[in-house]
Amino acid sequence: MFRSRPAALVLSAAVAVPLLTSTSAAASQAGGTASGAGAPRAATSALAAERVLKDDVVLTAGGGGTVRVKETIVYRFAGHDGFQRTYPTRVHESVTEDRVYRIENLRAASPDGGPSKATSSPKGLNTIVKVAGDRKLTGDHTVVLEYQVRGAITRMGAAEELRWPVVGGWKVPLDEAKAVVDGGAMIRNVNCFTGPIGSTIGCTQYYTNHTHTQGVFAQQGMLPGEYLTVVAGLPAGTTGGHAIYERRHTVATAFSVNAVTGSALAGLLVLLVGGVAALYLLRGRDARTVGKRAAEGDQVPVAGSEFEPPNGVRPGQIGTLIDEQADVIDVTATIVDLAVRGYLLIEEEDRAVTGRLDWTLRRLDRPQTDLLPYERILLDSLLTAPDGTALDAVALSALGGTFATKLAQVRSAMYDDVVKQGWFARRPDTVRSRWTLAGILVTVLGIGGTVALALTTEWALAGLALIIAGAALAYGGQYMPAKTSRGATVLAHTIGFRAFLERGAIPDDGSMAARQRIALFSRFLPYAVVFDLVAKWAETVKDAGERAEGADNLYWYEGPAEWDLSKFAESMRTFTLATSGSISQSRGL
């Protein structure tokens, strides 16, 4: 069996090869003369002068698919102690799998004093083979390179196929290459390709001998980096060889889901997230819930026509108790409560005069004996100038950008207060911070573990479980503050009181005078601020104001001229919004 390139190509090669050979010979002769004179050309680099004159290879297919390779190389040296070749030994077959070719038992020899020390090292998808000696060389030397390659034979249906880039991967040009494949059986077909790996350009010549037991392949002239890949078809079972595949470690494989990794992930999630849930059940639930009993309260819960907040409980305290946070709205409600209780007078400025909507908070002369610590801090902070001097009055707009740091002190005192009241064993903000910080640390640990596992193993999903658990802990930390038995009971009473305020109506049986209704409304208004019921609750004062003769103001809230209680609902809604914004506004850069 004989196949060759078209006549024009063969003729071209036939013409080109003698020219190339003659040129090489001339160059060799010139180089020899110059060498003898001790003056090598400076314009010609050593690497450019080197080349492979001839590369003859014999491949023998053996049992188990092992192919023995004997390669006889005639190499022209120009001042180097050796050479190197690049063998493509790994191919990406899929996203997660590589086909590999294993080069083993590598050795080299030289009958004429050439380099004979052979080493191999993997580099990416290739294996670099270096052959070196103990001295610099010039001229032509022969090197015999022998090795075994496994994985070059593949089962192809009812046949076996040997495919291997037997010649090439040189850094220098090659003049002539020849390869012989001994299949140990009748070869069914042959083919060969030249050029880069994957090229479909046929080589100069390929055929089988007269007994069809050997495939013969030839190529004239190859550029650096090109290969001569030989293909030979063998009968099925000739060698028993097969392709070798290895799982490639990528992001896809690192996070692969299978029975093992899926079960591990599910188990870790149950263990870790279940642990977070267990922590909440043990540490985060209210004491009365855990104990399955209601502790003795400080008064009977609101029921029927009864409408009283828990005894002695201030609006700011209720706000902190309900959501376990000392919010800005809780501080705003406390300011309104201080006015209702006679410590402040809230004066609404006349927009027609000032040109803007604003309020003045005026200090009233009243002993501070019944103020709680956080209330005293708030009152002093409101009516103290930045230079420390006491003020009799302050415009609400003047607090913007200056009160934010003092607000933090007030909120901190509110947290201390709910602990002092015995409603929480520890400050809710501290509990939240600790659990959230622990969750963040676990999450960061999980991210680091996931990255490490992804780079080295296929168990990166286990790290994801830790990330999820850490995130659950950080999120669950917001719910970890637990009320004591007393705190849970006060909360139950508070919920009943909120239900009364949500109805937005004071029972009217004719026994309560209009001014009494206004006083009752004023007393409960700060709680409505906490419960976000100002608009609904403030409407109740409108009718009371119409009944009360001369009731165009409240004792704690004064509006501008031509203002009456019918406008109070809108005024109070705007006041609470403006107050929350002013006291929380930070100073800009």
Side-chain angles (χ1 to χ4, degrees):
M1 178 177 182
F2 176 83
R3 295 183 184 177
S4 64
R5 290 182 174 177
L9 294 177
V10 175
L11 179 60
S12 176
V15 173
V17 171
L19 290 175
L20 182 62
T21 305
S22 300
T23 303
S24 300
S28 176
Q29 183 177 359
T33 303
S35 176
R41 289 184 184 179
T44 304
S45 67
L47 186 60
E50 292 188 356
R51 64 191 311 108
V52 179
L53 301 178
K54 192 173 183 180
D55 194 347
D56 287 346
V57 188
V58 177
L59 299 91
T60 304
T66 300
V67 179
R68 297 190 302 277
V69 182
K70 183 176 182 180
E71 185 173 1
T72 303
I73 304 165
V74 179
Y75 194 93
R76 176 162 294 163
F77 291 90
H80 290 90
D81 63 348
F83 56 77
Q84 77 174 42
R85 277 192 59 189
T86 300
Y87 293 83
T89 52
R90 183 175 291 270
V91 179
H92 294 332
E93 287 289 317
S94 67
V95 176
T96 61
E97 196 171 53
D98 286 347
R99 179 175 177 180
V100 297
Y101 303 84
R102 293 175 180 162
I103 294 178
E104 302 170 341
N105 300 322
L106 176 69
R107 58 184 182 274
S110 177
D112 56 9
S116 58
K117 297 177 182 178
T119 59
S120 65
S121 59
K123 185 178 181 181
L125 301 178
N126 304 312
T127 295
I128 308 300
V129 171
K130 294 182 179 180
V131 179
D134 53 6
R135 60 189 177 90
K136 305 292 185 180
L137 298 172
T138 58
D140 300 345
H141 290 276
T142 300
V143 176
V144 179
L145 189 65
E146 296 184 77
Y147 62 90
Q148 294 177 344
V149 59
R150 293 194 299 118
I153 296 179
T154 311
R155 296 172 184 172
M156 303 287 289
E160 293 181 355
E161 181 184 85
L162 186 157
R163 179 185 292 261
W164 180 242
V166 66
V167 175
W170 294 99
K171 289 187 173 183
V172 297
L174 181 147
D175 293 344
E176 180 182 349
K178 181 180 179 181
V180 176
V181 174
D182 187 350
M186 184 174 290
I187 296 178
R188 302 173 63 174
N189 54 73
V190 292
N191 205 344
C192 73
F193 307 96
T194 188
I197 293 297
S199 171
T200 57
I201 300 174
C203 60
T204 302
Q205 198 175 60
Y206 58 97
Y207 57 89
T208 58
N209 64 356
H210 66 285
T211 61
H212 299 286
T213 57
Q214 289 184 337
V216 182
F217 311 84
Q219 175 63 36
Q220 300 292 329
M222 292 173 60
L223 297 175
E226 292 187 332
Y227 290 88
L228 172 63
T229 301
V230 301
V231 182
L234 306 174
T238 300
T239 67
H242 56 82
I244 301 174
Y245 295 97
E246 286 184 356
R247 190 170 177 83
R248 185 167 75 256
H249 187 72
T250 63
V251 173
T253 58
F255 291 91
S256 59
V257 180
N258 50 47
V260 177
T261 59
S263 298
L265 175 61
L268 283 173
L269 283 176
V270 171
L271 181 63
L272 296 174
V273 179
V276 174
L279 285 173
Y280 172 75
L281 294 176
L282 293 174
R283 301 292 299 274
R285 289 197 303 168
D286 293 346
R288 73 178 267 169
T289 303
V290 174
K292 295 188 180 300
R293 64 181 178 82
E296 291 298 326
D298 54 356
Q299 77 168 56
V300 179
V302 175
S305 62
E306 298 290 335
F307 45 94
E308 287 289 336
N311 284 346
V313 179
R314 308 286 167 77
Q317 293 175 316
I318 283 183
T320 308
L321 177 67
I322 289 177
D323 60 5
E324 300 166 348
Q325 298 192 59
D327 298 316
V328 174
I329 193 62
D330 301 332
V331 180
T332 299
T334 301
I335 293 175
V336 176
D337 187 50
L338 289 174
V340 171
R341 289 159 54 199
Y343 292 96
L344 288 173
L345 176 63
I346 302 174
E347 299 175 345
E348 182 178 337
E349 301 296 337
D350 192 341
R351 185 183 299 186
V353 175
T354 63
R356 64 177 179 178
L357 187 62
D358 200 358
W359 290 262
T360 297
L361 304 180
R362 191 173 303 279
R363 185 196 300 269
L364 298 179
D365 186 15
R366 178 175 177 175
Q368 301 182 4
T369 55
D370 66 337
L371 288 181
L372 296 174
Y374 77 87
E375 294 175 324
R376 185 175 294 105
I377 294 174
L378 174 59
L379 186 60
D380 291 342
S381 299
L382 288 173
L383 296 170
T384 301
D387 60 1
T389 59
L391 301 174
D392 292 329
V394 62
L396 184 61
S397 58
L399 298 176
T402 63
F403 194 78
T405 55
K406 299 176 182 177
L407 176 63
Q409 299 174 9
V410 175
R411 296 176 64 185
S412 179
M414 294 175 77
Y415 284 122
D416 289 334
D417 178 76
V418 292
V419 174
K420 183 179 180 180
Q421 298 295 331
W423 299 343
F424 293 90
R426 288 168 290 276
R427 286 178 44 140
D429 60 329
T430 302
V431 173
R432 273 192 302 270
S433 298
R434 288 177 179 174
W435 286 104
T436 301
L437 179 60
I440 292 174
L441 291 176
V442 172
T443 302
V444 171
L445 180 62
I447 293 174
T450 300
V451 172
L453 291 172
L455 293 175
T456 58
T457 71
E458 297 182 1
W459 291 81
L461 286 178
L464 287 181
L466 198 59
I467 293 175
I468 295 172
L473 188 60
Y475 177 77
Q478 306 303 310
Y479 303 93
M480 292 306 290
K483 301 176 186 66
T484 62
S485 179
R486 177 177 176 80
T489 302
V490 174
L491 177 62
H493 297 173
T494 300
I495 291 173
F497 178 59
R498 181 174 62 183
F500 159 72
L501 293 181
E502 287 175 343
R503 291 196 292 270
I506 299 176
D508 189 1
D509 56 2
S511 61
M512 187 178 297
R515 289 190 177 277
Q516 290 178 307
R517 291 170 60 83
I518 292 175
L520 186 62
F521 158 80
S522 298
R523 180 186 170 198
F524 291 163
L525 181 61
Y527 298 94
V529 173
V530 170
F531 298 136
D532 194 23
L533 298 172
V534 172
K536 191 171 185 179
W537 183 250
E539 288 294 333
T540 63
V541 80
K542 181 178 180 180
D543 178 60
E546 293 174 350
R547 296 185 188 180
E549 181 179 354
D552 56 351
N553 283 295
L554 298 174
Y555 65 90
W556 57 272
Y557 189 100
E558 291 186 359
E562 306 303 326
W563 183 93
D564 58 40
L565 293 181
S566 65
K567 301 181 179 65
F568 180 75
E570 178 60 23
S571 293
M572 182 51 58
R573 184 189 68 82
T574 310
F575 173 77
T576 55
L577 291 175
T579 302
S580 296
S582 294
I583 64 177
S584 60
Q585 179 183 354
S586 299
R587 186 184 298 276
L589 296 178

